Amino acid sequence: MKSLRRTPQSLWVMLTVAALAGVMSLVSEPFASADNIFNVSRNFAFIGLVALGQTAVIATGGIDLSVGSVMGLSGIVTGLVLGSGQPLVLAAAAGLGCAFLCGLTNGALVGYLRLSPFVVTLGMLSVARSLALVISNNKMIHDFGPDEGLVLALGGGRFLGLANPVWLLLVAALGAAAWFRYSRLARHVLAVGGNENSTRLAGVPVARVKLTVYVLSSLLAGASAILMIGWLGAVTNALGQGYELRVIASAVIGGANLMGGEGGAFGAVAGAALIELIRNSLLLLGVDPYWQGAFVGGSIIVAMLVERVRRGSRTAG
Amino acid sequence: MLQLRSVGMQFGAVEALQSVDLDLAPGEVVGLMGDNGAGKSTLLKIVAGNFAPTSGEVRLDKRAVELTPLSAREHGIEAVYQDLALCDNLSAAANVFLGRELSRRLLGVLPVLDHAAMRRRSAELFVELGSDTRPADLVRRMSGGQRQAVAIARARLSSPRLMLLDEPTAAISVRQIAEVLELIRGLRERGVCVLLISHRMSDVFAVADRVVVLRRGRKVADKATTDSSPEEVTALITGAIEAA
Ligand SMILES: Nc1ncnc2c1ncn2[C@@H]1O[C@H](COP(=O)(O)OP(=O)(O)O)[C@@H](O)[C@H]1O
Ligand SMILES: [Mg+2]
């Protein structure tokens, strides 16, 4: 039993993904089609990217509820700047700049003023979405100016059979895995989540550590939004609406502990893959899409229950 | 090395310490005893720089100093607090090096954590301390004695001259207590001065060279353990004997 408990959760989730994919390819013919696999993998890439940042936030014992709205705001700003005839580089910088400011605000309030992460990022969820509405004037933006081809290729194109966002996710996940293992900052992220007071006594700048993870989370949300508008070919202020739940579910299913102190890059990606796979399976099996929210929300609760059981067996053993 | 001269500490109307004198020398273990609320933790926190005394002075190497937690560390004073302050979710080595992580440069540029060096150095510290703690083990899975070893190893990392231990044997099993006392003897052998706060008479008489007794903020005894006895110290703590 001991070795079973030590198997990282990300591995279990990957095995579940493989098992579910195996079953689905037997029971549903369209599942294994190249088109479906391509779509599923691309869809989970957008979520997985944001889940990497969310994992870092959750590892400090915090939470970032604002990621979906930050995606909306970054997407709208990027779209508008593109539409005004500016090059992609500038538009992306503007979109990421907005995300950066959102993350900076979240991080400063949580880290330096010690406000509750839940309340701060819930506020930002509302503020960023509202700004997206104001800036876009509730209009869809589908004219991306002279760089339109580039934008569509970036988020909608493929390379060696995989969607570009999937490649980016792979690179980001490998980078994040190395970051978690080898950076001093990530070590401090886990320490803050484990025992904030003790970490402060050890001389670690706790507030700055927190600030950084909220900024990272927002920047990844912004980057994901920029890829997404290239895939969609248009952007509305509803971009990313409700994504916070899927992102948090991905991180938690992948082993990020909502009490802080645990979480890893591969877990976040595996969690995102599992959630997207379940969504896809439900669709293919003809389950009413209205049920999806119940499954995603339920999975967060189940993941917490599993964690509670693991905790329990750990103290007992 | 360290001297307190008529140190007093007032918290509002409470006089936690009154005119306390204390001398600490390298390589000696001093047991600090007293009833609950006698002022032991307050004295330790003054030496660790957490509190500035409201009267009197602290001298280091015969010079009056005003200590802060940071400057106390720079002067070679490390404290291990009652509630240990470890990160349960990290390994022993990660806790020992928390905030002082060792890195190496990948390809000569990129700084990365040097896990191997931190594990090696912590393993050395655990051996020095005579503890069976393994560097890669998670603190969550450790016994109370091993946790003490981690906390003490962390404090040892900077080779301090003075180590302050607040109730290191509270809330651990008898076998682990023996381990912690062994850790303290190891520190003395290396010339470190240890100020040991303890409720347990047997611990103090087992490892301390000197015993200091506080009663309601006053120092009522300061003598070699060989010249005293558990009975006398008990009487001093309770007030059955006024002073010795
Ligand atoms: N931060 C503080 N604020 C106010 N009173 C304090 C504080 N710390 C200690 N005291 C008081 O000082 C007295 C001595 O406490 P303490 O040094 O913790 O005793 P001991 O460690 O010997 O049990 C007690 O009356 C306690 O209530
Ligand atoms: Mg005390």
Side-chain angles (χ1 to χ4, degrees):
Chain A
M1 267 319 276
K2 219 169 194 169
S3 61
L4 273 185
R5 277 210 306 270
R6 280 189 193 164
T7 314
Q9 189 159 335
S10 53
L11 204 63
W12 285 118
V13 178
M14 284 180 205
L15 289 174
T16 313
V17 168
L20 183 56
V23 171
M24 278 307 291
S25 54
L26 291 180
V27 302
S28 162
E29 205 158 308
F31 176 81
S33 71
D35 268 358
N36 188 53
I37 300 286
F38 181 81
N39 281 333
V40 170
S41 64
R42 180 188 51 206
N43 290 351
F44 101 74
F46 298 122
I47 298 288
L49 213 50
V50 188
L52 289 173
Q54 185 76 239
T55 297
V57 171
I58 291 178
T60 63
I63 194 153
D64 187 352
L65 299 172
S66 69
V67 284
S69 297
V70 170
M71 286 177 77
L73 180 60
S74 291
I76 286 290
V77 169
T78 307
L80 277 175
V81 177
L82 280 169
S84 73
Q86 301 299 325
L88 175 60
V89 182
L90 208 72
L96 289 175
C98 286
F100 177 79
L101 290 178
C102 292
L104 198 68
T105 310
N106 284 338
L109 293 174
V110 172
Y112 290 91
L113 297 188
R114 302 209 200 175
L115 300 183
S116 143
F118 186 89
V119 175
V120 167
T121 61
L122 184 62
M124 185 57 77
L125 175 148
S126 177
V127 170
R129 183 64 65 193
S130 162
L131 286 178
L133 262 161
V134 170
I135 295 176
S136 69
N137 203 15
N138 202 18
K139 286 205 186 71
M140 181 189 269
I141 301 159
H142 41 65
D143 170 19
F144 288 160
D147 268 358
E148 180 159 286
L150 197 56
V151 179
L152 299 187
L154 181 67
R158 63 173 79 199
F159 178 68
L160 297 179
L162 285 180
N164 287 341
V166 176
W167 283 112
L168 283 167
L169 174 66
L170 286 177
V171 171
L174 288 174
W179 181 78
F180 266 109
R181 174 140 179 81
Y182 288 110
S183 83
R184 176 179 298 224
L185 176 59
R187 170 59 59 82
H188 293 167
V189 163
L190 292 169
V192 167
N195 187 339
E196 184 171 336
N197 239 336
S198 135
T199 308
R200 191 173 287 116
L201 274 178
V204 173
V206 171
R208 204 165 71 210
V209 170
K210 289 190 179 178
L211 178 84
T212 315
V213 291
Y214 286 91
V215 168
L216 278 176
S217 171
S218 281
L219 282 176
L220 283 166
S224 179
I226 293 168
L227 292 174
M228 227 171 145
I229 66 175
W231 164 52
L232 295 168
V235 50
T236 71
N237 51 53
L239 183 86
Q241 199 149 39
Y243 273 38
E244 56 280 344
L245 204 68
R246 281 156 70 183
V247 167
I248 292 166
S250 302
V252 170
I253 288 172
N257 183 343
L258 283 168
M259 306 301 288
E262 279 172 67
F266 294 130
V269 174
L274 183 58
I275 290 216
E276 199 50 42
L277 195 57
I278 292 176
R279 273 166 38 87
N280 184 249
S281 305
L282 292 173
L283 275 176
L284 291 178
L285 295 176
V287 176
D288 191 329
Y290 290 160
W291 278 103
Q292 287 189 2
F295 280 97
V296 175
S299 63
I300 298 186
I301 298 174
V302 169
M304 284 212 72
L305 285 173
V306 169
E307 171 59 24
R308 168 66 58 83
V309 172
R310 283 175 64 215
R311 265 285 133 100
S313 65
R314 199 147 52 205
T315 27
Chain B
M1 171 172 65
L2 180 111
Q3 289 136 359
L4 301 185
R5 285 294 168 263
S6 49
V7 160
M9 185 74 200
Q10 218 144 355
F11 294 110
V14 180
E15 272 208 285
L17 292 174
Q18 290 176 51
S19 186
V20 172
D21 291 319
L22 184 67
D23 284 61
L24 297 174
E28 80 174 336
V29 177
V30 176
L32 182 59
M33 304 203 71
D35 210 347
N36 275 334
K40 307 181 295 291
S41 294
T42 303
L43 190 141
L44 180 136
K45 284 175 181 161
I46 286 175
V47 176
N50 291 316
F51 293 153
T54 42
S55 60
E57 64 180 22
V58 180
R59 290 188 204 162
L60 255 173
D61 305 320
K62 306 200 171 84
R63 292 211 341 258
V65 284
E66 282 181 18
L67 294 173
T68 64
L70 208 69
S71 75
R73 270 195 171 173
E74 280 161 8
H75 282 110
I77 301 171
E78 288 277 348
V80 176
Y81 296 100
Q82 219 159 346
D83 45 10
L84 284 185
L86 297 178
C87 292
D88 270 7
N89 58 325
L90 299 182
S91 70
N95 269 282
V96 169
F97 282 92
L98 185 59
R100 299 182 261 197
E101 291 83 2
L102 302 179
S103 356
R104 62 194 165 87
R105 301 219 162 242
L106 201 64
L107 309 171
V109 276
L110 200 64
V112 295
L113 290 181
D114 193 344
H115 295 291
M118 287 191 276
R119 272 204 289 270
R120 207 177 325 113
R121 183 76 187 102
S122 336
E124 284 167 16
L125 283 168
F126 294 140
V127 168
E128 265 177 48
L129 294 170
S131 165
D132 64 355
T133 309
R134 285 176 308 218
D137 281 2
L138 288 186
V139 166
R140 182 185 289 139
R141 299 204 175 85
M142 291 185 179
S143 71
Q146 290 173 326
R147 284 161 185 262
Q148 281 295 343
V150 173
I152 293 175
R154 176 199 283 184
R156 274 279 288 128
L157 194 60
S158 52
S159 309
R161 302 191 286 167
L162 172 56
M163 187 92 92
L164 311 168
L165 305 177
D166 198 352
E167 298 279 5
T169 54
I172 59 176
S173 74
V174 176
R175 211 190 68 219
Q176 292 162 15
I177 288 174
E179 281 176 31
V180 172
L181 296 182
E182 209 41 56
L183 298 179
I184 294 171
R185 290 194 189 97
L187 290 171
R188 173 174 47 199
E189 271 165 35
R190 276 153 220 285
V192 180
C193 174
V194 178
L195 183 65
L196 166 69
I197 294 185
S198 180
H199 261 99
R200 292 170 42 89
M201 198 65 69
S202 53
D203 295 355
V204 170
F205 277 86
V207 293
D209 304 301
R210 202 144 58 88
V211 55
V212 170
V213 181
L214 289 180
R215 189 169 68 239
R216 283 191 252 119
R218 289 185 172 281
K219 187 170 92 169
V220 293
D222 184 346
K223 60 200 290 190
T225 37
T226 46
D227 296 340
S228 185
S229 67
E231 293 72 26
E232 184 187 38
V233 172
T234 307
L236 284 162
I237 289 172
T238 57
I241 305 180
E242 199 51 47

